[in-house]
Amino acid sequence: MIQLISSQKKNSYVLTFDGKKLAPGLTDEAGDIDLLGYGPEPLHQQHEQYTKSKEIISKITGYLQGSSKSIRDLRQLIAKQQYALDKFTTKAASEPGKNYCYVIDSIKTAIYRAKSTIKDALATNDALFGFIALLQNSSGYCTDKMVNLSKTKSFVTLKEPRQVHSSLRLPETEHVPHHLLKQKSDEWFNLRKTVKVTGSTAYNALGIDGLKSQKETFQYINNQKEKPAPTEQRRSENFLYVTH
């Protein structure tokens, strides 16, 4: 075929090859072809790598869960030890004739060891989280206590529509992308009026709260049923959610 095409000087041809088509019998792995060596790993190799990564992550997750519980227990122990330390320190000051030096020093040593263990455990956890991120082809895991969000790839600053127009150099007649609209702006409220399901109603609309709640939600959306006013308890819960 190549020889035939090369002899046709006046015509143009495109030769394609479907290298990922499964051809049973060609290889021991059900004939999975990897584009003759020019494509990614065959599917069976990808599956093996995924299985190994999943097993590693499962083991690490088990360790992290155990480590986190131990850190929690150590913090509770430190709180109790600190209470005892304050108590014996007060006694030592009010009872000059009694010697509490040994018990006070013992408690301080126990607190120091517990804090040191927690520090090492947290450092180990950070290293393991970073390793899991690498397994997921992500290098964005940060172990610092403070992060500059503006330098992260997934961070988006919501701005007023006019600022977005200016920064993106959009024509004034063109709408701002919805995911960049600042919440509570006039444009945001106008857009909210045109959509049927919002972040506030998605939980019920998806049926996560049950079929009855899902049915009522769409009755409210389609104006088939009047939505009742929120109770005083619900208002209080919303207020606490917003303020916290």
Side-chain angles (χ1 to χ4, degrees):
M1 181 179 292
I2 296 176
Q3 184 178 2
L4 175 63
I5 293 174
S6 63
S7 64
Q8 304 294 324
K9 303 297 184 181
K10 297 182 180 180
N11 299 324
S12 298
Y13 297 89
V14 177
L15 180 64
T16 62
F17 173 75
D18 185 4
K20 294 301 293 184
K21 182 178 180 180
L22 294 179
L26 293 182
T27 68
D28 294 335
E29 294 81 16
D32 184 19
I33 307 301
D34 62 347
L35 296 178
L36 299 181
Y38 292 95
E41 300 86 354
L43 294 179
H44 73 277
Q45 291 184 10
Q46 295 181 35
H47 178 71
E48 289 176 358
Q49 293 175 359
Y50 169 77
T51 303
K52 291 179 180 178
S53 298
K54 186 177 179 181
E55 291 176 355
I56 294 173
I57 292 176
S58 178
K59 291 180 180 179
I60 294 177
T61 302
Y63 168 81
L64 290 171
Q65 290 175 345
S67 175
S68 299
K69 291 179 181 178
S70 298
I71 291 173
R72 178 199 60 192
D73 294 341
L74 283 173
R75 284 172 173 163
Q76 293 175 351
L77 175 62
I78 290 174
K80 293 178 181 179
Q81 294 280 14
Q82 187 62 50
Y83 173 79
L85 178 62
D86 294 341
K87 183 177 179 181
F88 281 111
T89 302
T90 303
K91 279 189 174 184
S94 60
E95 302 175 7
K98 294 185 178 181
N99 187 0
Y100 293 99
C101 293
Y102 178 77
V103 66
I104 289 175
D105 288 344
S106 297
I107 294 174
K108 286 183 177 179
T109 301
I111 292 176
Y112 172 80
R113 288 178 175 175
K115 288 183 177 180
S116 179
T117 302
I118 289 175
K119 183 179 178 180
D120 292 341
L122 290 174
T124 302
N125 286 359
D126 280 336
L128 290 174
F129 281 127
F131 180 68
I132 291 177
L134 289 176
L135 286 177
Q136 301 298 323
N137 296 323
S138 174
S139 58
Y141 182 76
C142 180
T143 59
D144 296 332
K145 293 183 179 180
M146 298 183 65
V147 179
N148 188 349
L149 293 178
S150 62
K151 294 184 178 180
T152 59
K153 297 179 181 179
S154 58
F155 179 75
V156 177
T157 304
L158 299 182
K159 302 177 181 178
E160 294 291 344
R162 61 178 182 277
Q163 294 176 316
V164 179
H165 273 103
S166 176
S167 61
L168 296 182
R169 298 180 180 179
L170 296 175
E172 290 296 330
T173 55
E174 188 172 339
H175 294 292
V176 175
H178 298 164
H179 68 285
L180 297 178
L181 273 179
K182 186 176 182 180
Q183 196 174 25
K184 306 298 183 183
S185 63
D186 292 339
E187 288 77 4
W188 181 83
F189 278 113
N190 293 334
L191 176 64
R192 191 177 174 87
K193 293 176 183 178
T194 64
V195 297
K196 294 185 178 295
V197 179
T198 65
S200 303
T201 59
Y203 184 85
N204 294 335
L206 291 172
I208 301 176
D209 195 35
L211 182 61
K212 180 180 178 181
S213 178
Q214 184 185 38
K215 183 178 179 180
E216 288 182 344
T217 299
F218 281 100
Q219 287 176 338
Y220 301 147
I221 291 173
N222 296 320
N223 297 321
Q224 297 174 348
K225 187 177 181 180
E226 186 176 353
K227 189 173 184 178
T231 61
E232 188 64 31
Q233 180 181 0
R234 184 60 180 173
R235 288 197 188 96
S236 300
E237 292 174 352
N238 290 341
F239 176 76
L240 290 174
Y241 174 77
V242 171
T243 54
H244 289 79

